[in-house]
Amino acid sequence: MTSPPAHSEPFKERVGNFVRAASIEITSSDHAHLPALRDLLPPHCSVYVSHVPNATLAQVVKTALAVRAAGFQATPHIVARRINYPETLRSALAELTAHGIEEVLLVAGDTEHAAGEFDSTLDVFASGLLEKSGIKRLGVAGYPEGQKGIGLSLLWSALKAKQAFADRTGLAMFIVTQFGFNGNALRDWEPELARNDVRLPIRAGIAGPTPLSKLIKFAMRCGIGASLRTVMRNLSAVSGIAELATTPEQHVMRLMQLPSSTRVIAPHFFCFGGVLETAQWINRIVSGHFVIDAEATRFVVEG
């Protein structure tokens, strides 16, 4: 493993500042945790509101407004395949921007059939609704380990179309990547982004502190790539496989070892029902309550 790149600030301080810029993901059912999150997370932290299958878009919007009122930057998910009519999307975006929310994460969604005329993010682009809405920052999905059922050529074609949309409209677009178990996935994926002329900044998706059994369940549901198969084949020796990372500590350290030219700007934490545990983990790192080993290859959270 390579040593961390040279920077002017101490390495531990770099780790803390990197995690300080993190975003975190909640669902509408986590609404009651907002007061506790306000005590744990840095001010103006980006809090994404996931549109899970048992929630409506109206509930996502309502939760996003509560996130905004709690002092966070709210980033609601817009799931193209769950939108029944263009007017539904137009109204949701209007309500968000009327309350000062200017950022959304747009994803296609994994439902088998589209609820309306939007089958993909590109269909939403084609509608013209985003440009007219007042939304200024737009997150899109990235899959460093691939996506089950979707060929690599289609994934790259979609990312290039998203880059072209950002270039044409001037929207500040960024990538939020899917979580995975390959700690080196982003290192290997970034050169491919450059070869495909995709220049978007990246929020690196990481699972928060989560039992491995639960991670595997969500990984299967999300259709992540080859590293899941490696985990399943080697459950008894998972901690000894060099490329695998199953804890947020391992992933953060791998990200800190990316070259200084990286487009990764911050981690994005998937909580899988453990939003308070993830927020507490972030709080410990930002507060400096962790110890890095002498080779700067791993760290342990204190307390």
Side-chain angles (χ1 to χ4, degrees), residues 56 61 117 135 171 184 187 201 219 233 252 297:
T56 65
V61 170
E117 63 187 68
I135 292 295
L171 275 173
N184 296 324
R187 181 202 65 187
R233 286 196 304 267
V252 166
T297 57

Side-chain angles (χ1 to χ4, degrees), residues 73 101-105 135-139 171-174:
Q73 177 176 291
I101 296 175
E102 300 177 333
E103 178 176 296
V104 298
L105 175 67
I135 292 295
K136 295 180 179 178
R137 298 179 301 278
L138 179 65
L171 275 173
M173 187 180 290
F174 57 95

Side-chain angles (χ1 to χ4, degrees), residues 164-242:
F165 180 79
D167 292 341
R168 176 172 63 82
T169 62
L171 275 173
M173 187 180 290
F174 57 95
I175 295 170
V176 180
T177 69
Q178 182 58 279
F179 84 101
F181 296 109
N182 183 350
N184 296 324
L186 267 167
R187 181 202 65 187
D188 300 334
W189 194 58
E190 280 205 76
E192 295 300 318
L193 290 173
R195 277 191 281 272
N196 284 276
D197 195 31
V198 176
R199 295 163 267 107
L200 305 174
I202 301 166
R203 283 189 171 268
I206 299 174
T210 308
L212 181 58
S213 59
K214 193 173 185 179
L215 275 184
I216 290 172
K217 180 183 74 172
F218 279 99
M220 294 174 68
R221 184 181 302 175
C222 296
I224 69 167
S227 69
L228 174 60
R229 293 190 291 275
T230 303
V231 169
M232 296 300 288
R233 286 196 304 267
N234 300 276
L235 281 175
S236 62
V238 67
S239 62
I241 300 172

Side-chain angles (χ1 to χ4, degrees), residues 19 26 28 40 59 61 87 98 106 152 156 183 209 230 237 275 290 303:
V19 174
I26 69 170
S28 297
L40 290 168
Q59 288 172 319
V61 170
E87 182 57 34
L106 176 64
L152 284 177
W156 284 117
T230 303
V275 61
F290 64 100

